[in-house]
Amino acid sequence: MSDVVTFSWGADEASWSIVIHGGAGAVPMEARARHVEGCKLAAIAGAAILRGGGSALDAAQRAVELLEDDPVFNAGTGAALNTSGEIELDAALMDGSLRAGAVCALPPFVSPIKIARAVLDEGVHVLYAAAGAEAFAKEHGFVRTTTEAMTSAAARAQFVTMKQSGKGSEGWAGGTVGAVARDSSGHVAAATSTGGTFMKQPGRVGDAPLLGAGTYADDEAGACSNTGHGESVMKLCMSKTAIEWLRQDMHPEDAARAAVAVLARRANGSGGIILVDRRGRLGLARTTDTMSFAAMSNQHAEPICGS
């Protein structure tokens, strides 16, 4: 298996905290600072909500909105293209009261996490797919755009390279973006968004919008967002597994390390995970070359960042 890389936040509890990730992958050295900066700005935006007494749900959503708007990440603008050269988007949002909303195989809309929030707020269903997701979005005032408008130069270049050679160029970040947060009222939330696997078949859905696989939150335990090989993550119900370890009072750092180790050992998958527990403690681990991240709490006024 690949080496497990973790980052230590210490054992301190926090009245509020947030950690975000920019996707597990292999970002080249010269591009890493740009990815980290995008994560830093997202964490600052989420932390501002938490510092002002706002909800973990709003903070996680806002952080992911910024990552979706940033074309260097594989979510929203800049998302991966499928074999037909089209964008299909997955996103999910869940809070610790077990309210949730998600969309999958969504055609191009600028901010899929906002649409997931609309699903959560309506409270009728949890997950809408493909044409049904598009219809829901339009009914709630969201405007469809085009693949061309949302495709970054890097994503287009990757698509061309893979079409010509069958292999991806080195340095594509891949993966999903996500955020987990705990607010000063003791509630937790998770938000995850992705363009999915590059050159996926049309209609393929990854782990990100599936509760218990790529995204999960429970006030009695904590919140989780995953990134990496979605099919492997789904087989292990990885986010729910990690949350159950938190329920048993495992420290999030230990739970994160254990989760990616199991991903590699049992499913031969690579990826990363971010966690916050009910006490505001944070955990993060990856088995990929990189996973940009940023974290803040009432104990860490300045972002802790890395890749």
Side-chain angles (χ1 to χ4, degrees):
M1 59 173 276
S2 302
D3 291 338
V4 176
V5 179
T6 60
F7 305 88
S8 180
W9 315 103
D12 291 343
E13 299 179 13
S15 63
W16 63 262
S17 57
I18 185 169
V19 56
I20 69 101
H21 70 75
V27 177
M29 189 63 68
E30 63 273 15
R32 291 181 187 181
R34 174 66 182 82
H35 282 250
V36 171
E37 180 64 17
C39 292
K40 177 181 177 180
L41 294 175
I44 289 171
I49 292 172
L50 296 171
R51 188 180 294 111
S55 71
L57 185 66
D58 288 344
Q61 177 185 336
R62 182 58 185 149
V64 168
E65 286 174 10
L66 266 65
L67 296 172
E68 289 177 334
D69 288 342
D70 190 330
V72 307
F73 299 108
N74 177 17
T77 300
L81 303 177
N82 65 19
T83 55
S84 299
E86 296 295 327
I87 283 176
E88 290 182 312
L89 303 164
D90 299 338
L93 191 63
M94 185 174 186
D95 74 9
S97 68
L98 306 186
R99 296 187 305 151
V103 290
C104 64
L106 178 76
F109 283 83
V110 170
S111 191
I113 201 67
K114 290 182 180 179
I115 301 172
R117 177 61 183 269
V119 175
L120 182 154
D121 287 340
E122 184 181 67
V124 175
H125 300 304
V126 170
L127 176 63
Y128 286 86
E134 178 181 6
F136 176 90
K138 289 179 176 177
E139 288 168 3
H140 288 76
F142 297 94
V143 179
R144 179 172 172 168
T145 181
T146 65
T147 289
E148 290 72 21
M150 292 183 66
T151 301
S152 66
R156 180 59 63 186
Q158 178 78 344
F159 175 77
V160 171
T161 297
M162 294 188 77
K163 273 287 192 181
Q164 293 175 345
S165 68
K167 298 179 180 179
S169 60
E170 293 184 3
W172 175 255
T176 299
V177 305
V180 297
R182 193 258 197 196
D183 61 38
S184 56
S185 297
H187 301 299
V188 298
T192 313
S193 182
T194 187
T197 302
F198 226 109
M199 296 295 283
K200 64 187 179 182
Q201 294 295 322
R204 179 264 186 186
V205 175
D207 64 295
L210 304 182
L211 304 187
T215 307
Y216 203 76
D218 183 345
D219 282 341
E220 295 183 356
C224 175
S225 176
N226 291 319
T227 172
H229 186 246
E231 280 71 14
S232 299
V233 170
M234 284 187 278
K235 292 172 185 177
L236 293 170
C237 298
M238 188 166 148
S239 64
K240 187 62 162 63
T241 298
I243 291 300
E244 290 310 307
W245 289 332
L246 297 185
R247 197 184 307 278
Q248 297 167 20
D249 210 30
M250 184 183 288
H251 193 285
E253 291 179 14
D254 297 326
R257 183 183 298 109
V260 295
V262 169
L263 180 68
R265 180 176 60 85
R266 291 286 286 122
N268 196 31
S270 62
I273 185 171
I274 56 173
L275 292 165
V276 63
D277 73 4
R278 61 185 178 273
R279 292 188 272 172
R281 300 179 301 178
L282 302 174
L284 177 153
R286 61 170 168 83
T287 57
T288 50
D289 289 343
T290 64
M291 182 175 72
S292 53
F293 70 89
M296 295 180 70
S297 76
N298 64 296
Q299 311 240 9
H300 298 92
E302 295 299 321
I304 299 172
C305 306
S307 61

